[in-house]
Amino acid sequence: MSLSGELVSSANQALKSRKVEMKIPNKTFVVTGGGNGIGRELVLNLVRSGARVAAVDINEAFLETTAKLSDNRGNISLHAVDITDRKAVEALPEQVIAAHGSVDGLINNAGIIQPFVKVSELTWSQIDKVLNVNLNGLLNMTKVFLPYLLKRPEAHIVNISSMGGFLPVPGQTIYGASKAAVKLFTEGLRSELLDTNVHVTVVFPGAIGTNIAQNSGAMTPEQQAAQDTGKIKMTSPLRAAQTILDGMESDQYRVLIGSDSKMMDFFYRLNPKGAAMLIYNQMKTLLAN
């Protein structure tokens, strides 16, 4: 057998030796960004499926709305926490365990986008904010919860990257850099945990019908109107959440959400320069506003 064949065979054996499923019922999950968008739908879907959920968000009012929408409020605990505040995050695991008895999964969903402008027009504070929330916040949550997850018979970490994490989007360059870092961090973490019972999945959403732009302070009314013309096909947060949870339960390595993400993933592998030009032509009107 050739060296490449031996490597492939070894990888396949390693995968076969792992348990490949962690079912949702009777498990406890921590979901960041649980106050709106995909995060809210993740919380509601998990509870409907028989899980207990610790919903984390910086906005307490948004969390309360999520809880009111649930048909089983008793299985949700609310944690108004800034995930970039490391000390606050360090206190979370014991709070979750006090509320639910254990923690079996972490879904790092919280994220913001940048204003739709070129890097030269961004302030340092805008750059720092995007990097702190999208990367450092995710690192804080992962580092703090990982020791607890390693003690469970079966556990899972899901990190939400973005189509912009593998494909350059002008006007979202810093956001894309943060999500590219999430991509590689997640893939490296999965490899480090292959001999444990903690499974890891990375998710690449395309255009999702959420209010992330408004919550991030990233769009002017004119830019929002340009995006809402219907030229960009959006995936609903509900569908995105279900796709994420299906991917987690089947221990998928990577999950692509939306026809745009799937198509651009293929196109970018085939022709990186051509894919970048396609996205530039679609997004340049936003930069012009």
Side-chain angles (χ1 to χ4, degrees):
M1 181 183 294
S2 66
L3 177 60
S4 60
E6 291 177 358
L7 290 173
V8 171
S9 177
S10 176
N12 287 336
Q13 287 300 318
L15 290 173
K16 288 179 181 179
S17 67
R18 285 170 57 86
K19 298 176 182 179
V20 296
E21 293 184 347
M22 189 187 81
K23 295 303 182 182
I24 289 172
N26 301 313
K27 302 294 195 307
T28 298
F29 294 88
V30 178
V31 179
T32 66
N36 60 85
I38 295 175
R40 173 176 289 170
E41 295 299 339
L42 285 167
V43 172
L44 298 177
N45 193 317
L46 285 165
V47 171
R48 282 195 298 268
S49 299
R52 300 171 295 273
V53 182
V56 179
D57 200 289
I58 196 171
N59 190 310
E60 187 172 4
F62 286 0
L63 285 174
E64 292 289 350
T65 301
T66 296
K68 290 176 182 177
L69 291 171
S70 174
D71 54 6
N72 193 347
R73 172 65 179 85
N75 276 11
I76 303 175
S77 62
L78 306 181
H79 307 266
V81 173
D82 178 354
I83 61 172
T84 69
D85 182 341
R86 190 167 295 164
K87 287 187 177 180
V89 172
E90 287 174 345
L92 261 177
E94 293 303 327
Q95 294 172 10
V96 173
I97 290 171
H100 303 291
S102 63
V103 56
D104 304 284
L106 169 63
I107 304 180
N108 283 309
N109 163 77
I112 59 172
I113 62 174
Q114 67 175 74
F116 275 88
V117 298
K118 299 174 182 177
V119 172
S120 59
E121 300 173 45
L122 287 171
T123 65
W124 284 112
S125 62
Q126 289 171 326
I127 291 171
D128 289 342
K129 184 178 181 180
V130 171
L131 295 177
N132 283 336
V133 173
N134 293 354
L135 180 58
N136 293 335
L138 180 144
L139 289 172
N140 289 341
M141 292 293 295
T142 303
K143 279 279 289 179
V144 165
F145 276 94
L146 184 55
Y148 296 86
L149 297 174
L150 285 166
K151 296 176 183 178
R152 302 300 295 163
E154 204 79 17
H156 209 113
I157 297 172
V158 178
N159 289 337
I160 311 298
S161 178
S162 169
M163 183 173 75
F166 64 77
L167 177 75
V169 179
Q172 288 295 314
T173 297
I174 298 300
Y175 168 80
S178 70
K179 290 300 189 175
V182 168
K183 170 190 179 295
L184 197 56
F185 167 74
T186 308
E187 292 170 344
L189 182 66
R190 179 174 173 119
S191 293
E192 290 180 356
L193 296 173
L194 278 174
D195 293 329
T196 76
N197 285 331
V198 179
H199 305 263
V200 183
T201 297
V202 62
V203 180
F204 302 99
I208 308 294
T210 70
N211 56 355
I212 186 172
Q214 178 183 342
N215 291 338
S216 304
M219 276 190 175
T220 66
E222 293 79 12
Q223 289 172 328
Q224 185 69 58
Q227 187 187 53
D228 292 342
T229 57
K231 294 180 180 179
I232 300 175
K233 184 178 180 181
M234 301 280 189
T235 299
S236 72
L238 178 62
R239 185 180 180 92
Q242 185 60 59
T243 303
I244 291 167
L245 297 180
D246 288 346
M248 179 186 69
E249 284 200 301
S250 57
D251 192 27
Q252 291 184 34
Y253 185 80
R254 60 203 303 264
V255 175
L256 297 162
I257 299 179
S259 57
D260 52 349
S261 183
K262 294 173 184 177
M263 187 267 289
M264 293 311 301
D265 177 62
F266 174 78
F267 189 16
Y268 189 70
R269 292 167 186 270
L270 185 68
N271 184 351
K273 184 177 180 180
M277 286 302 299
L278 175 62
I279 293 298
Y280 167 75
N281 286 329
Q282 289 184 336
M283 302 299 292
K284 62 183 179 181
T285 57
L286 287 177
L287 290 176
N289 291 319

